[in-house]
Amino acid sequence: MTRQETNALVAQLTLEEKAGLTSGKDNWYTKAVERLGIPAVRTSDGPHGLRTQSGETNSLAEGSSVPAVCFPAACATAASFDRELLRQMGEELGRECQALGVDVLLGPGVNIKRSPLCGRNFEYFSEDPLLAGELGAAFVRGVQSQGRGTSLKHFFANSQEHRRMGVSSEMDERTMREIYLPAFETVVKEAQPWTVMASYNKIGGTYSTTNRKYLTDLLRREWGFEGLVTSDWGATHDRPAAVAAGCDLTMPAEDTDGEIVKAVQEGRLAESDLDTCCERLLKLAFRAAETRKKGAAFDYEGGHALARTIAGESMVLLKNEGNILPLDKGADVAFIGPFAAAPRYQGGGSSHINSFKVSSAIDAAKALGLSVRHAVGCNEDGSTTDELLAKAAEAAKAANVAVVFVGLTDAMESEGVDRRHMNLPEGHNALVKAVCEANSNTVVVLHNGSPVELPWVEQARAILEAYLGGQAVGEAVVDVLYGNVNPSGRLPESFPKRLEDNPSYLYYFGEGGVANYNEALFVGYRYYESKKQEVLFPFGYGLSYTTFQYSNLKLDREKMEEGKTLTASVTVTNTGKRAGKTVVQLYIAPEKVEMIRPVRELKDFDKVELAPGESKTVTFTLGKRAFAHWNPTVHNWRCESGKYAVQIGESAHDIALEGTVELSAEPIPPVGGYTVGMPMGEFSKSLKGHKFLDENIEYMVRGMAMAGFIPKEMLTLADTIPGGINLAVIDMLAQRAGNAAGGTSGVQTLMGQPLSILNSFLPQEKKDELAALIARLNQ
């Protein structure tokens, strides 16, 4: 539908119909306007599966949703570090949306994991904004390639569940721009999601749904977002204010349309703002209608197979002492623990999927004809008895290898509530300790959506982080344990040794309705690496059944100017005996100049597959943002002159190779900015300012000579010098005139004068050039 057609339709709507379009019909649908042929839009919870009610069922209950494929949650897929894998998952969900009549899938979630305690961390990708943004963009591209929409959420600074409906997230501008906004920015600019979901919380004291500064000025005008903004379900507190701010749609249905009508009639809401929201809703509605595929079918078994592949690619091998893994297929193995037969594979809350099938590790092993005995050891909630523990120890002792399946419960990790500690259920820890005592060959498989403390980490021979791996997690775990899949996941978050080590520990829950982000930029590994705080497992860490070597790091230049690009290449070789994949991680480490910065930050990554003995060259192109910080003086991205280390890491802690580039950049403008009234010496500290003075100082010298302020003989002398008058020539002339004897140089004297003197002698075109230069330098 063209813009003109949309405007024509809006002009035909009554005020009441306009108000109705900007709120939901029920929990899942927007309102249709049948007399004008305006269709409704159907939404569905996501992001790792469809929680869709059959027909037009309006229920929010989990049991009322139709069977669907539950893919691994974002906590798991982020560990894949694989853009292509996320695109494939998005495509599959897009096909399932078509089959179930869903127009907009509510996901992905790209909020930053500020603390391990956030109850919804399992729905989010990472503590790192670059990783979260890149994977989120790939997911959106995949879904929308199938003609279905996404809803990027929760915009923004929604990093806790505690008091989420009203807490105000407070942070400085730089923290906001460098940590909590970039993931959203990347997805918007690279993938243009059909919708963005405004979060429950306040930002700087203003609810997200009524925050025009971010919904309109930032999201639309600065980033170029073209789609619709919807509220999170129940997040709108003031309908007229939300419309005025640029929140186009309030979900779900609520009896507040009359508030919009009254606000327009009383002049408190401009009808033009309401019209704009209606235009965006119509654009979405007709786009969805035009791309629906009637009669589309979905291959659920194919979806399950893809979920299995993704889960296998996302598991992180944290420990493998003595290469106990992979297991011998002929070994006598005991599978122990509550999650061996009934895996925990997804989180609680709005993303909980009615999975059409679920595979357990026990069933998967038996299907492959493997010799596996089973003991429960404890209940899912951690309750246990001496008898259960004794039977588990007995099973472990009788086996060659014991594999213990433990983790967090739905009650401990769910939307709407944050954890208060990082502990596993008490019975789970007791079970691991009992099994380790009974059999030194103990492997632990973790099912959790966020980091946990591991008091038995030294006793277990191997640890496999399965995260919340979706409905096929049982098969995927067996694939990895027995070597059918070589683990290639890397941690998308740091595992601190204890909760107290986390940088947000003292401030996380907030007080008085305010959550102060006092740790600022130092989230996750940015803090641990900068403080040299030892962690249990660092960001980006993960083992493989093979080994890799990095070599031959090359940078295409040793020096560069701000705004130019740098190309870095590195050779990766599989030095082991198995085919495998590794994640090449590129970090930038700036030398300390003026701005406080983390010791290193991830700026790109690539996942590569290599056969034994094979080598590949991986190339990265780094633009300005890879070196820049957000500068609160100019409210923009700026670089500092200095040396920057380009590091290739196996994790944020383990750096394999390093090269250095020297970057030259314009200095940060002084407080108050560059002005025509500032001393020329201050102006010349800018490279471009110095160049302008050097090229144009002749206008001032000649003008001052003609006015009698300096001897005209100096001009006669200057005319004998090739190239005209510049700053070097002025110094020479001053020395010849004796001005340099025992005093300041000619240039030093000149540099103390205000720039306005030069400006007064410039021709108009040069004055315009100077004004434009000052404006650019202040950006």
Side-chain angles (χ1 to χ4, degrees):
M1 172 170 279
T2 66
R3 179 76 177 271
Q4 292 77 11
E5 291 171 328
T6 301
N7 291 343
L9 263 182
V10 171
Q12 297 177 59
L13 290 167
T14 66
L15 180 57
E16 289 73 18
E17 286 171 334
K18 291 177 183 179
L21 275 180
T22 60
S23 70
K25 170 191 173 186
D26 52 31
N27 285 328
W28 305 112
Y29 286 85
T30 66
K31 295 186 183 78
V33 181
E34 294 182 3
R35 72 178 186 87
L36 295 177
I38 298 172
V41 176
R42 186 182 190 183
T43 64
S44 174
D45 272 324
H48 51 266
L50 294 178
R51 190 167 75 95
T52 306
Q53 276 57 47
S54 59
E56 296 192 13
T57 301
N58 193 36
S59 175
L60 287 170
E62 293 175 9
S64 66
S65 60
V66 300
V69 176
C70 180
F71 288 92
C75 59
T77 57
S80 74
F81 274 72
D82 193 329
R83 297 173 178 89
E84 175 60 19
L85 200 67
L86 267 293
R87 186 194 62 78
Q88 291 177 21
M89 176 175 159
E91 281 187 353
E92 194 74 356
L93 282 166
R95 284 188 279 267
E96 192 172 7
C97 283
Q98 288 285 11
L100 294 179
V102 171
D103 297 316
V104 176
L105 174 68
L106 302 178
V110 296
N111 295 93
I112 295 301
K113 297 184 179 184
R114 180 184 174 217
S115 166
L117 299 182
C118 178
R120 216 168 177 179
N121 271 352
F122 64 87
E123 274 194 63
Y124 304 142
F125 289 113
S126 180
E127 67 187 31
D128 183 80
L130 181 128
L131 179 60
E134 289 294 317
L135 297 183
F139 177 89
V140 169
R141 282 193 292 266
V143 174
Q144 295 185 175
S145 71
Q146 301 304 305
R148 300 292 80 191
T150 55
S151 195
L152 179 65
K153 62 183 187 180
H154 305 91
F155 186 71
F156 73 101
N158 184 187
S159 293
Q160 68 183 59
E161 292 298 285
H162 179 67
R163 295 181 176 174
R164 65 173 180 167
M165 303 300 290
V167 70
S168 182
S169 299
E170 305 285 339
M171 68 191 77
D172 62 75
E173 178 186 356
R174 191 171 167 212
T175 298
M176 189 181 297
R177 289 287 190 159
E178 292 191 29
I179 303 296
Y180 294 96
L181 283 173
F184 290 96
E185 180 185 3
T186 296
V187 179
V188 166
K189 289 183 174 180
E190 291 188 5
Q192 280 292 343
W194 287 13
T195 75
V196 167
M197 184 186 294
S199 56
Y200 288 119
N201 56 289
K202 298 173 184 174
I203 303 166
T206 302
Y207 280 108
S208 295
T209 51
T210 57
N211 208 317
R212 185 175 179 85
K213 178 180 180 180
Y214 300 116
L215 296 186
T216 295
D217 297 342
L218 175 72
L219 183 61
R220 297 188 186 282
R221 292 175 181 167
E222 184 179 330
W223 292 352
F225 176 58
E226 299 170 358
L228 173 140
V229 173
T230 180
S231 73
D232 201 340
W233 268 229
T236 301
H237 300 265
D238 184 334
R239 280 283 305 282
V243 167
C247 184
D248 308 301
L249 175 64
T250 285
M251 290 295 287
E254 53 180 59
D255 189 20
T256 55
D257 291 349
E259 294 178 12
I260 296 290
V261 173
K262 186 176 180 181
V264 172
Q265 291 173 339
E266 294 178 351
R268 292 183 289 109
L269 174 63
E271 190 166 1
S272 59
D273 287 342
L274 180 59
D275 288 348
T276 299
C277 291
C278 290
E279 288 167 13
R280 294 174 185 143
L281 192 285
L282 293 181
K283 178 182 175 182
L284 174 66
F286 283 102
R287 184 180 195 178
E290 290 164 4
T291 53
R292 286 184 193 124
K293 297 178 181 178
K294 293 183 178 180
F298 182 68
D299 179 4
Y300 285 90
E301 290 296 338
H304 181 84
L306 179 60
R308 177 178 181 173
T309 296
I310 295 171
E313 292 281 329
S314 303
M315 291 183 188
V316 185
L317 184 59
L318 298 177
K319 184 178 180 181
N320 194 21
E321 189 178 287
N323 292 323
I324 189 174
L325 294 179
L327 299 174
D328 189 307
K329 291 182 174 63
D332 184 354
V333 179
F335 279 9
I336 300 170
F339 296 145
R344 178 165 182 255
Y345 60 93
Q346 62 177 324
S350 62
S351 68
H352 201 88
I353 310 302
N354 179 14
S355 306
F356 94 96
K357 66 186 293 187
V358 179
S359 70
S360 72
I362 290 287
D363 291 339
K366 289 180 178 179
L368 294 174
L370 300 172
S371 175
V372 172
R373 65 186 73 208
H374 178 228
V376 174
C378 70
N379 298 312
E380 178 184 345
D381 64 3
S383 60
T384 188
T385 63
D386 290 342
E387 183 182 359
L388 286 174
L389 290 174
K391 287 183 176 180
E394 182 182 344
K397 191 173 184 179
N400 302 130
V401 179
V403 182
V404 190
F405 295 77
V406 293
L408 297 176
T409 68
D410 273 347
M412 298 176 74
E413 212 171 21
S414 179
E415 178 181 353
V417 60
D418 289 331
R419 288 192 289 162
R420 295 287 168 166
H421 54 74
M422 284 176 55
N423 302 329
L424 291 171
E426 191 173 317
H428 288 222
N429 281 329
L431 176 61
V432 174
K433 291 176 182 177
V435 171
C436 286
E437 289 174 1
N439 189 330
S440 60
N441 291 328
T442 295
V443 176
V444 178
V445 177
L446 292 171
H447 294 272
N448 50 293
S450 198
V452 291
E453 293 180 16
L454 305 177
W456 36 260
V457 65
E458 298 299 330
Q459 284 71 52
R461 287 281 301 278
I463 305 172
L464 180 66
E465 175 59 86
Y467 278 114
L468 302 184
Q471 67 179 48
V473 67
E475 293 158 293
V477 164
V478 170
D479 287 340
V480 172
L481 289 177
Y482 286 88
N484 295 328
V485 171
N486 191 342
S488 60
R490 301 292 184 267
L491 288 179
E493 58 202 337
S494 308
F495 271 50
K497 285 192 169 183
R498 56 182 195 151
L499 176 62
E500 291 84 354
D501 294 338
N502 182 266
S504 70
Y505 173 70
L506 294 176
Y507 329 107
Y508 177 67
F509 292 105
E511 60 184 359
V514 174
N516 285 302
Y517 287 45
N518 291 334
E519 68 279 6
L521 306 173
F522 295 93
V523 176
Y525 74 87
R526 285 168 167 78
Y527 169 80
Y528 299 122
E529 291 303 313
S530 299
K531 190 177 179 291
K532 298 184 179 179
Q533 173 74 53
E534 188 176 352
V535 296
L536 192 60
F537 301 108
F539 173 91
Y541 171 82
L543 302 175
S544 171
Y545 294 153
T546 187
T547 54
F548 299 94
Q549 183 179 57
Y550 298 90
S551 62
N552 201 27
L553 174 62
K554 293 182 179 179
L555 308 181
D556 70 340
R557 61 184 76 197
E558 296 179 353
K559 296 183 178 181
M560 63 184 292
E561 295 180 1
E562 180 180 19
K564 302 295 184 181
T565 59
L566 176 73
T567 300
S569 62
V570 62
T571 300
V572 190
T573 303
N574 183 342
T575 54
K577 298 180 180 180
R578 286 175 175 264
K581 297 180 181 180
T582 188
V583 178
V584 186
Q585 302 164 45
L586 186 146
Y587 296 87
I588 294 294
E591 70 171 354
K592 180 69 175 77
V593 182
E594 174 64 23
M595 303 302 293
I596 296 172
R597 303 185 67 175
V599 68
R600 69 177 56 89
E601 295 179 282
L602 182 72
K603 294 301 177 181
D604 209 344
F605 61 91
D606 195 15
K607 193 166 190 177
V608 292
E609 184 173 13
L610 296 165
E614 183 183 8
S615 296
K616 287 183 180 178
T617 297
V618 178
T619 301
F620 302 101
T621 301
L622 304 171
K624 176 180 176 178
R625 284 284 288 269
F627 304 93
H629 66 276
W630 181 265
N631 190 276
T633 300
V634 297
H635 309 290
N636 209 337
W637 295 98
R638 296 297 292 267
C639 297
E640 285 186 300
S641 294
K643 294 180 179 179
Y644 291 78
V646 180
Q647 301 176 329
I648 301 299
E650 297 187 55
S651 71
H653 183 70
D654 301 303
I655 302 303
L657 299 171
E658 179 175 301
T660 303
V661 63
E662 188 167 347
L663 188 148
S664 59
E666 290 289 343
I668 303 303
V671 177
Y674 289 99
T675 68
V676 75
M678 72 190 312
M680 283 189 279
E682 284 295 309
F683 187 67
S684 70
K685 290 180 180 179
S686 158
L687 301 176
K688 293 176 181 177
H690 186 278
K691 183 173 183 291
F692 183 88
L693 290 179
D694 198 46
E695 294 175 349
N696 295 285
I697 199 67
E698 182 171 355
Y699 289 107
M700 178 175 170
V701 173
R702 291 190 180 278
M704 293 180 72
M706 296 301 293
F709 294 118
I710 60 175
K712 292 184 180 181
E713 291 77 9
M714 292 185 69
L715 291 181
T716 304
L717 184 60
D719 288 338
T720 66
I721 300 173
I725 300 174
N726 56 28
L727 296 178
V729 170
I730 290 173
D731 243 355
M732 183 186 68
L733 293 176
Q735 290 175 22
R736 292 189 184 183
N739 196 29
T744 58
S745 72
V747 170
Q748 286 176 318
T749 301
L750 190 66
M751 289 297 105
Q753 304 303 312
L755 185 59
S756 58
I757 294 179
L758 170 62
N759 192 55
S760 67
F761 291 109
L762 293 176
Q764 188 58 50
E765 65 271 17
K766 289 294 182 178
K767 289 183 178 180
D768 294 341
E769 184 180 335
L770 177 59
L773 175 58
I774 289 174
R776 287 198 301 274
L777 291 175
N778 282 325
Q779 292 178 351

